[in-house]
């Protein structure tokens, strides 16, 4: 039985090495934590004051502001390495 011709395979070149992930900026972690704590304190003050404080006159929107602080803080955690 005849043998088929063998193919010459080109030499494999390895893919370029991946760069090491960059370190987080020094300001990121303190800012992230301070935003989350600020949001938590904002929500607690809103509940304790029956939505009259920290910003009087806007009522339950104080909760929205507090949760916005918390969400921005959690959003920053995706950039932290």
């Amino acid at each position: 039985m005849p043998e088929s011709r063998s193919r010459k395979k080109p030499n494999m070149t390895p893919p370029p090495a991946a760069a090491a992930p960059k370190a987080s900026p020094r300001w990121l972690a303190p800012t992230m934590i301070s935003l989350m704590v600020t949001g938590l304190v904002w929500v607690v003050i809103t509940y304790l004051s029956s939505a009259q404080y920290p910003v009087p006159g806007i009522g339950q929107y104080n909760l929205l502001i507090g949760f916005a602080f918390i969400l921005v803080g959690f959003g920053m955690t995706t950039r932290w390495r």
Side-chain angles (χ1 to χ4, degrees), residues 2-80:
E3 291 184 28
S4 62
R5 287 184 278 175
S6 64
R7 296 184 205 166
K8 288 188 176 183
K9 294 182 181 179
N11 290 339
M12 183 186 149
T13 56
K22 294 180 181 178
S24 300
R26 295 185 69 157
W27 57 267
L28 187 71
T31 304
M32 171 181 67
I33 291 178
S34 64
L35 281 171
M36 287 189 280
V37 169
T38 302
L40 178 66
V41 169
W42 197 289
V43 170
V44 168
I45 290 173
T46 301
Y47 274 120
L48 292 178
S49 69
S50 299
Q52 293 179 356
Y53 294 105
V55 179
I58 63 172
Q60 294 297 325
Y61 286 109
N62 279 317
L63 287 175
L64 182 67
I65 293 170
F67 283 119
F69 277 124
I70 294 170
L71 285 175
V72 170
F74 275 118
M76 291 179 74
T77 61
T78 63
R79 309 276 306 196
W80 185 42

